[in-house]
């Protein structure tokens, strides 16, 4: 089995955080999130697919990952290229921005994989934050938009035995400043939280319709 982590090029990374973190900080946030994900994936083989040499080198040196230099455009094509370039049939696809995933989640997924063709963990907002496939070509890759619903539709129309893995922590993908708040609440001892604290970022509760956190930088 291989765990595939697709990663955007550095120059288009986490653009929704650019009002709050500069380019270098967004890159370092990515690297710390990847270190948290690596900790959850202990003992599993990781494959990183990206256009960016610096990201691929980080993956090789820090994650001990196989590097795949992305040739085409877009997330779905990046994953399909990874499918073509690995021999394994069984895959888990995890985005690079779910730092609250932990070893218990992976243990659960591996146990469930004995009984299901497809296991999917939704992100908040309708995305797919973990996708296990017993065979990599079981369904079409339909990331972006409400990909959770699209991937489920794919499973249903192929009569696959699928399992929805309901996890708040896996559902937290880091896309906006508001998302950083969850790291402070749930990410104790994570590399990601330590890095955000090193930037002087603090979080306070906000009870209003416009979000739940006040995120500040000193
Ligand atoms: N290899 C590759 N990975 C991608 C691509 N687009 C998105 N990803 C990755 O897919 C995962 C989820 O994508 P997004 O949540 O859109 O991440 P992002 O593109 O860094 O964030 P935004 O710029 O805010 O959209 C992240 O791990 C991204 O790095 C792509 O074109 N190629
Ligand atoms: C790639 C996309 O991520 P999101 O845009 O939902 O963060 C998805 O999960 O389909």
């Amino acid at each position: 089995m291989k765990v595939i982590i697709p990663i955007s090029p550095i120059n288009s990374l986490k653009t929704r955080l650019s009002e709050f973190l500069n380019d270098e900080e967004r890159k370092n946030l990515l690297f710390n999130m990847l270190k948290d994900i690596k900790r959850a994936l202990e003992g599993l083989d990781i494959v990183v697919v990206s256009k960016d040499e610096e990201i691929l080198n980080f993956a090789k040196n820090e994650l001990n990952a196989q590097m795949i230099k992305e040739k085409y455009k877009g997330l779905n094509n990046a994953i399909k290229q990874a499918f073509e370039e690995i021999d394994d049939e069984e895959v888990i696809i995890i985005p690079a921005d779910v730092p609250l995933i932990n070893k218990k989640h992976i243990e659960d997924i591996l146990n469930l994989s004995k009984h299901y063709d497809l296991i999917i963990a939704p992100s908040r907002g309708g995305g797919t934050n973990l996708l296990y496939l017993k065979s990599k070509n079981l369904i079409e890759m339909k990331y972006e938009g409400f990909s959770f619903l699209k991937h489920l539709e794919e499973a249903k129309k192929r009569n696959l035995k699928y399992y929805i893995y309901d996890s708040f922590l896996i559902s937290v993908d880091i896309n906006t400043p508001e998302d950083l708040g969850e790291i402070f609440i749930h990410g104790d001892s994570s590399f990601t939280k330590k890095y955000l604290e090193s930037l002087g970022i603090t979080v306070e509760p906000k009870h209003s319709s416009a979000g739940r956190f006040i995120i500040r930088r000193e």
Side-chain angles (χ1 to χ4, degrees):
M1 176 197 296
K2 288 281 189 303
V3 181
I4 298 170
I5 305 179
I7 307 180
S8 304
I10 279 183
N11 60 10
S12 67
L13 197 63
K14 296 288 110 192
T15 49
R16 290 170 273 181
L17 284 170
S18 45
E19 53 159 314
F20 201 70
L21 300 174
N22 66 34
D23 291 0
E24 187 65 15
E25 292 166 345
R26 289 204 313 279
K27 182 181 71 176
N28 288 326
L29 174 66
L30 166 74
F31 288 167
N32 281 283
M33 292 196 293
L34 286 169
K35 283 162 55 176
D36 285 323
I37 294 169
K38 165 76 177 170
R39 192 150 57 174
L41 296 173
E42 193 181 329
L44 296 180
D45 292 334
I46 301 174
V47 176
V48 166
V49 51
S50 182
K51 287 187 190 310
D52 198 286
E53 289 300 334
E54 187 178 357
I55 287 179
L56 291 172
N57 287 327
F58 177 88
K60 179 169 175 274
N61 299 328
E62 298 295 327
L63 310 181
N64 194 26
Q66 176 186 341
M67 305 185 293
I68 293 181
K69 175 82 170 175
E70 187 173 336
K71 291 187 284 198
Y72 311 114
K73 190 168 166 32
L75 173 53
N76 292 306
N77 287 329
I79 295 170
K80 281 185 248 183
Q81 180 190 339
F83 286 176
E84 288 158 11
E85 297 193 17
I86 62 172
D87 297 331
D88 303 63
E89 276 306 309
E90 236 182 341
V91 293
I92 298 178
I93 304 156
I94 299 176
D97 55 4
V98 284
L100 297 177
I101 193 167
N102 62 45
K103 286 180 191 159
K104 171 74 174 58
H105 297 134
I106 299 301
E107 202 179 290
D108 289 349
I109 298 297
L110 294 178
N111 288 332
L112 287 163
S113 69
K114 300 182 184 86
H115 312 288
Y116 293 92
D117 305 315
L118 177 148
I119 305 166
I120 186 166
S123 72
R124 294 163 305 158
T128 303
N129 274 3
L130 181 144
L131 184 63
Y132 162 82
L133 299 171
K134 190 166 290 304
S135 166
K136 56 196 172 184
N137 297 306
L138 271 182
I139 63 166
E140 274 302 304
M141 293 295 97
K142 300 219 171 194
Y143 282 89
E144 307 298 355
F146 293 148
S147 66
F148 171 69
L149 297 177
K150 292 187 283 184
H151 287 140
L152 271 194
E153 200 41 53
E154 285 288 299
K156 289 173 184 170
K157 76 183 184 188
R158 289 169 169 77
N159 296 316
L160 299 181
K161 197 169 179 211
Y162 67 84
Y163 185 91
I164 297 173
Y165 186 78
D166 180 5
S167 159
F168 167 77
L169 295 178
I170 295 182
S171 75
V172 176
D173 47 4
I174 304 303
N175 289 309
T176 65
E178 167 85 4
D179 296 333
L180 300 179
E182 300 295 357
I183 300 294
F184 280 81
I185 305 295
H186 302 283
D188 269 357
S189 78
S190 70
F191 292 102
T192 307
K193 180 175 178 181
K194 290 192 182 82
Y195 176 64
L196 293 170
E197 287 174 329
S198 75
L199 297 179
I201 291 174
T202 57
V203 171
E204 287 168 34
K206 173 170 76 177
H207 293 283
S208 81
S209 54
R212 292 169 182 263
F213 299 106
I214 300 169
I215 312 278
R216 287 201 176 89
R217 283 192 74 159
E218 275 159 20

